[in-house]
């Protein structure tokens, strides 16, 4: 009697041979005759979009994004934010930290102290733009057509393709009225921080739901994002290592962090010193920039960030003796 593994492998090989013989016996496929059928299927597929069940999710994402920008703009008037002059590092606090993580302009220097300057909203909510498509299932954008399409935020484009309504004025406008923080009390500021943090979570969870239904691509070698069934053919990839591709993007499936980057920053806990020192960097935690900003405004961070923030960790200056 044969071994079960040998019997299973022999059955699989016989099936593979039969399938390959049938495939080889078929005549050559004429794709010119199949082209009308393929185009017809694409047109029929476009009739199923947008998915009605995802329209409320897309509307919530757009509304929450507007509240997020408005809330962050309000909190920035009270809570200082610092950005490095030579690298993308951001810190939220009264004074910048002294952790040596600066790689300098074009990464010439390594592990240097940061040179801080005042940061803005783009340092916390990283802008990710993409081409605004006239139709979800339109032809692929070619390199010569890249200036014929507007660039809009990727979250807005994803929501529009999912069925959210947005007129041309709101699409081109990026200015939102922010509340005057000088006239707000501590309780009002806490409410603004809680609403901003709630909007942040709604945007990320909504984008994750939309990405399960709608396709979005991101380049493997740069941060270019395209919302649509297939990536565009505009040669804008700036990675010189792959210069042989003439700047053509290499697309892969996009995730939530590609459309809504979390922007991880160093998080100062209550037990930490006022200025974070480099020699105790292993004790400090991290947090998304928006979450850190809202917690400093009085909001309570969701429990899923506690491990990253090291809230229950030891302070940096605690004396301890090694075992042995």
């Amino acid at each position: 009697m044969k071994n079960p593994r040998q019997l299973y492998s022999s059955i699989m090989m016989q099936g593979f041979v039969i399938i390959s013989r049938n495939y080889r016996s078929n005549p050559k496929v004429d794709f010119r005759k199949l082209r009308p059928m393929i185009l017809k299927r694409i047109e029929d597929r476009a009739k199923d979009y947008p998915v009605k069940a995802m329209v409320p999710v897309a509307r919530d994402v757009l509304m929450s994004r507007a509240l997020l920008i408005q809330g962050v703009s309000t909190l920035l008037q009270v809570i200082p934010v610092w950005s490095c002059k030579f690298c993308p590092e951001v810190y939220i606090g009264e004074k910048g930290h002294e952790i040596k993580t600066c790689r300098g302009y074009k990464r010439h220097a390594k592990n240097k102290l940061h040179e801080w300057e005042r940061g803005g909203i783009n340092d916390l909510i990283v802008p990710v733009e993409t081409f605004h498509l006239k139709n979800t299932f339109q032809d692929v954008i070619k390199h010569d057509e890249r200036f014929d399409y507007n660039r809009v935020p990727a979250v807005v484009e994803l929501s529009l393709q999912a069925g959210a309504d947005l007129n041309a004025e709101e699409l081109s406008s990026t200015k939102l009225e922010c509340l005057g923080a000088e006239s707000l009390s501590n309780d009002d500021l806490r409410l603004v921080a809680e609403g901003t943090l709630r909007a942040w979570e709604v945007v990320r969870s909504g984008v994750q739901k939309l990405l399960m239904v709608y396709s979005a691509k991101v380049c493997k070698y740069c941060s270019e994002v395209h919302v649509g069934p297939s990536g565009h053919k505009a040669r804008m990839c700036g990675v010189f290592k792959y210069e042989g591709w003439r700047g053509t993007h290499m697309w892969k499936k996009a995730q939530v962090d590609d459309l809504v980057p979390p922007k991880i920053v160093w998080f100062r806990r209550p037990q930490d010193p006022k200025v974070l020192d480099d020699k105790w960097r292993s004790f400090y935690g991290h947090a998304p920039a928006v979450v850190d900003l809202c917690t400093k405004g009085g909001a309570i961070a969701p429990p899923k960030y506690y491990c990253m923030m090291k809230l229950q960790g030891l302070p940096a200056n605690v004396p301890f003796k090694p075992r042995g």
Side-chain angles (χ1 to χ4, degrees):
M1 184 176 179
K2 288 186 177 181
N3 190 4
R5 292 185 178 179
Q6 295 179 355
L7 182 61
Y8 176 77
S9 61
S10 62
I11 293 173
M12 292 297 294
M13 287 299 298
Q14 291 176 4
F16 175 75
V17 171
I18 294 172
I19 293 173
S20 61
R21 285 177 180 174
N22 292 335
Y23 178 77
R24 291 178 182 176
S25 62
N26 291 334
K28 292 184 179 181
V29 179
D30 190 359
F31 288 99
R32 290 178 296 180
K33 296 180 180 179
L34 292 178
R35 179 178 173 82
M37 184 181 65
I38 295 174
L39 295 178
K40 184 67 169 58
R41 286 189 176 183
I42 293 175
E43 293 177 359
D44 294 340
R45 184 178 60 174
K47 297 177 182 178
D48 299 332
Y49 289 89
V51 180
K52 294 183 179 179
M54 302 304 295
V55 174
V57 178
R59 292 173 179 171
D60 291 342
V61 169
L62 276 185
M63 294 177 59
S64 300
R65 177 181 176 273
L67 294 175
L68 174 64
I69 296 176
Q70 187 179 33
V72 170
S73 301
T74 304
L75 295 174
L76 284 176
Q77 301 178 26
V78 181
I79 303 173
V81 175
W82 305 93
S83 64
C84 183
K85 189 176 181 180
F86 301 110
C87 74
E89 181 79 9
V90 175
Y91 183 73
I92 303 172
E94 297 295 333
K95 186 180 179 181
H97 62 72
E98 295 182 355
I99 302 175
K100 298 179 180 180
T101 54
C102 183
R103 294 186 175 274
Y105 179 67
K106 291 186 179 180
R107 304 195 176 205
H108 289 318
K110 293 183 179 180
N111 301 327
K112 301 294 182 180
L113 288 174
H114 296 278
E115 294 189 20
W116 299 108
E117 60 182 4
R118 280 287 184 172
I121 187 172
N122 288 340
D123 297 316
L124 304 180
I125 306 176
V126 181
V128 179
E129 293 186 344
T130 183
F131 287 113
H132 176 51
L133 303 182
K134 302 174 183 178
N135 184 13
T136 305
F137 296 97
Q138 68 176 40
D139 295 336
V140 179
I141 299 176
K142 299 180 180 179
H143 180 70
D144 298 336
E145 301 173 347
R146 64 190 185 278
F147 297 116
D148 298 336
Y149 295 86
N150 296 327
R151 301 278 291 183
V152 299
V155 176
V156 175
E157 178 63 19
L158 181 64
S159 302
L160 291 177
Q161 294 188 18
D165 299 327
L166 194 66
N167 54 34
E169 295 180 358
E170 295 176 346
L171 184 62
S172 59
S173 177
T174 57
K175 296 182 180 179
L176 293 174
E177 295 181 0
C178 59
L179 302 176
E182 297 81 5
S183 60
L184 297 178
S185 61
N186 292 333
D187 294 337
D188 294 335
L189 193 64
R190 178 177 56 83
L191 292 177
V192 172
E194 291 176 352
T196 304
L197 183 57
R198 191 160 45 251
W200 167 259
E201 294 298 324
V202 171
V203 169
R204 285 186 59 86
S205 62
V207 169
Q208 186 174 9
K209 294 176 183 178
L210 294 176
L211 288 177
M212 295 180 181
V213 181
Y214 295 90
S215 176
K217 308 293 183 181
V218 64
C219 183
K220 294 181 181 179
Y221 307 119
C222 70
S223 58
E224 177 69 13
V225 173
H226 181 77
V227 180
S230 60
H232 60 75
K233 294 185 179 179
R235 299 189 295 270
M236 301 186 301
C237 188
V239 180
F240 297 102
K241 183 178 180 181
Y242 302 92
E243 193 174 357
W245 297 101
R246 297 181 61 194
T248 303
H249 295 286
M250 305 293 289
W251 300 107
K252 67 176 182 178
K253 184 179 180 181
Q255 304 296 331
V256 181
D257 292 345
D258 299 319
L259 276 70
V260 190
K263 191 66 177 184
I264 304 299
V265 299
W266 291 95
F267 177 74
R268 179 185 173 273
R269 306 166 299 174
Q271 61 266 34
D272 291 332
K274 292 184 177 181
V275 180
L276 303 183
D277 196 0
D278 182 67
K279 64 180 180 180
W280 306 110
R281 58 192 296 180
S282 60
F283 287 85
Y284 307 140
H286 296 84
V290 176
V291 176
D292 189 8
L293 181 70
C294 295
T295 54
K296 287 181 170 57
I300 299 176
K304 64 180 180 180
Y305 297 111
Y306 287 176
C307 182
M308 181 190 302
M309 299 165 73
K310 299 183 181 180
L311 291 178
Q312 304 298 330
L314 294 174
N317 56 358
V318 63
F320 65 92
K321 296 182 179 179
R323 294 181 181 180

